[in-house]
Amino acid sequence: MKSLVLLAILAALAVVTSCYESHESMESYELYPFINRRNANTFITPQQRWRAKVQERIRERSKPVHELNREACDDYRLCERYAMVYGYNAAYNRYFRERRGAK
C-alpha cells in the first residue's frame, strides 16, 4: 500500500514537471510575431544608424595593440603555427619583438 502511494506521488510529480509551461514560451502565442517589411527598420532611428557607422569606422582605425600584433602574426606562417601551440602573445614576441631589438 505504501509503495502504491509513493508511486502515485512520483507519477503526479512527473506529470506536473512535464506539463509546466513557462512564460517564455508564451511569445509564440502572439497574434503577429513578425514585423512587416515597411516597419522592419523603424526601431532604429537614422541618427542611431549614423552613430553606429561612425563608431565602427573609429574602431577600425584605432585597433588595440594585441589585435594588430595578432594580424601581423597571422600574415607570417611560422608565427601562426607557433601561435597555435604557445599563443599569439608568445609567437609575436618570438618572431617580431626580437627582430626589432626590443626585449
Side-chain angles (χ1 to χ4, degrees), residues 29-44:
Y29 296 121
E30 294 176 356
L31 293 176
Y32 303 106
F34 300 107
I35 299 174
N36 65 13
R37 290 181 183 182
R38 180 173 287 181
N39 297 330
N41 290 326
T42 58
F43 61 92
I44 296 178

Side-chain angles (χ1 to χ4, degrees), residues 46-99:
Q47 183 180 8
Q48 289 174 330
R49 198 174 301 131
W50 178 81
R51 187 178 298 146
K53 286 180 183 178
V54 170
Q55 287 175 353
E56 181 65 28
R57 288 184 189 136
I58 290 171
R59 264 187 249 117
E60 282 297 319
R61 283 190 203 141
S62 59
K63 290 183 180 178
V65 175
H66 63 85
E67 190 170 341
L68 292 173
N69 293 349
R70 183 175 180 155
E71 287 177 0
C73 194
D74 282 340
D75 292 338
Y76 188 53
R77 176 77 67 187
L78 292 175
C79 183
E80 188 177 8
R81 287 183 186 164
Y82 192 85
M84 293 297 176
V85 177
Y86 298 105
Y88 279 97
N89 194 22
Y92 182 82
N93 288 338
R94 177 179 173 137
Y95 287 100
F96 295 106
R97 292 251 165 100
E98 291 177 4
R99 285 186 182 173

Side-chain angles (χ1 to χ4, degrees), residues 1-41:
M1 185 66 176
K2 288 183 181 180
S3 62
L4 184 62
V5 172
L6 184 61
L7 184 63
I9 291 173
L10 288 174
L13 285 174
V15 168
V16 168
T17 57
S18 65
C19 294
Y20 174 73
E21 185 173 338
S22 66
H23 294 291
E24 294 171 357
S25 65
M26 296 300 284
E27 295 172 355
S28 62
Y29 296 121
E30 294 176 356
L31 293 176
Y32 303 106
F34 300 107
I35 299 174
N36 65 13
R37 290 181 183 182
R38 180 173 287 181
N39 297 330
N41 290 326

